[in-house]
Amino acid sequence: MRVTGGGGTAAGGPPVPDSPLADTVLERLTAAYPPAADPGRAVTMRAYMKDVAPFLGLTTPVRRALSRTVTAGLPRPGEADCAAVALRCGQLPEREYHYFAVDYARRHVRHCSSGFLPVARHLVTTVPWWDTVDPLAAHVVGALVAADPALTADMDDWIGDDDRWLVRAALLHQLRYRERTDTARLFAYCLRRSGHPDFFVRKAIGWCLREYAKTDPDAVRTFLAREQGRLAPLSVREALKNIGGQRPARRTTGR
């Protein structure tokens, strides 16, 4: 299997850095995954993920075990190594390689600077579906923004983007912040995209509110009581799942 090396550019995205470590990771990875492929399971997995990408058919435990063998004994990557691994995995067709890219970035994001955000953005918008976008948002983008609050300006751009997956990532990037959540920004994002027609955006509004309700349920209840007329019923139902409260009447038209 041929994988583009460093020095090139990911399609429509940032340049792929030269990285001997990435060369080793990709060589090991593309040798380890295919022999464990299960074509029958691959068909089922592809159908479940709405045909977003082909699959090898690796179960999560098998994939993670193989991934550990791929990275065993290798040095800790720097930011350029992380970028090269992530971008080169993204060039491969099978979804399991995209999962590896997400897992690798998630594991090593604490060693990356704000300069890694364009790589994360590329991963969010390339062959996007919830299975990669959500962990990228919560564990990679969120970690980068927490480490460099200046990146909130990028989140302000993402929330207004036409790409539904960037919108979803902006909504979810504070998912694990708990007491560190910028509540004003969270609520403002939810209201800004409350009329969005896409299911995944409306669901993300409810999810980020539901998650923050674990930290401050009264703030979420108050927000919903004040603004639920502007929020889609799906968003409100999701937000109230764990804290209870009055649900809106079902709409017969609109969202």
Side-chain angles (χ1 to χ4, degrees):
M1 181 179 295
R2 183 179 181 276
V3 184
T4 304
T9 301
V16 181
D18 289 311
S19 167
L21 178 57
D23 293 341
T24 299
V25 170
L26 269 292
E27 181 180 357
R28 290 184 178 186
L29 185 64
T30 54
Y33 275 13
D38 184 330
R41 181 175 283 111
V43 172
T44 302
M45 294 170 74
R46 183 169 186 166
Y48 178 72
M49 288 299 171
K50 306 300 183 183
D51 204 30
V52 67
F55 279 78
L56 292 168
L58 305 181
T59 64
T60 298
V62 167
R63 176 173 57 82
R64 288 178 174 167
L66 291 171
S67 297
R68 287 193 292 271
T69 68
V70 167
T71 57
L74 295 180
R76 188 182 75 189
E79 184 172 326
D81 302 314
C82 289
V85 168
L87 294 171
R88 289 171 64 179
C89 284
Q91 294 173 348
L92 297 171
E94 289 84 9
R95 198 59 164 173
E96 286 87 349
Y97 296 115
H98 306 164
Y99 294 158
F100 184 91
V102 173
D103 290 345
Y104 198 80
R106 176 177 174 176
R107 180 179 179 184
H108 299 292
V109 67
R110 65 186 181 277
H111 305 302
C112 296
S113 73
S114 57
F116 194 75
L117 187 64
V119 176
R121 187 186 194 281
H122 182 72
L123 295 177
V124 165
T125 56
T126 302
V127 198
W129 200 241
W130 61 264
D131 56 335
T132 54
V133 171
D134 293 359
L136 283 167
H139 300 287
V140 179
V141 175
L144 292 171
V145 177
D148 182 1
L151 294 181
T152 55
D154 293 87
M155 297 300 99
D156 291 346
D157 289 338
W158 289 20
I159 195 65
D161 202 274
D162 291 336
D163 187 314
R164 61 175 172 166
W165 298 110
L166 285 177
V167 174
R168 184 172 170 101
L171 286 163
L172 299 181
H173 85 275
Q174 296 194 82
L175 206 62
R176 297 176 59 83
Y177 281 18
R178 300 184 177 90
E179 293 82 3
R180 296 178 295 119
T181 299
D182 181 339
T183 311
R185 179 169 270 104
L186 171 67
F187 291 164
Y189 282 8
C190 291
L191 289 178
R192 182 172 178 182
R193 301 323 303 251
S194 61
H196 201 286
D198 185 74
F199 167 85
F200 288 103
V201 172
R202 300 197 305 271
K203 187 88 167 181
I205 290 171
W207 184 10
C208 63
L209 291 173
R210 184 177 79 242
E211 192 65 23
Y212 184 59
K214 296 176 183 177
T215 297
D216 192 343
D218 289 338
V220 174
R221 287 194 190 97
T222 300
F223 172 72
L224 291 172
R226 184 178 69 244
E227 306 290 358
Q228 72 171 17
R230 298 175 59 184
L231 298 169
L234 169 64
S235 301
V236 177
R237 287 196 302 272
E238 287 294 315
L240 290 173
K241 272 186 176 178
N242 296 325
I243 60 172
Q246 184 176 359
R247 288 169 168 76
R250 183 179 297 276
R251 293 177 182 170
T252 57
T253 60
R255 293 189 297 271

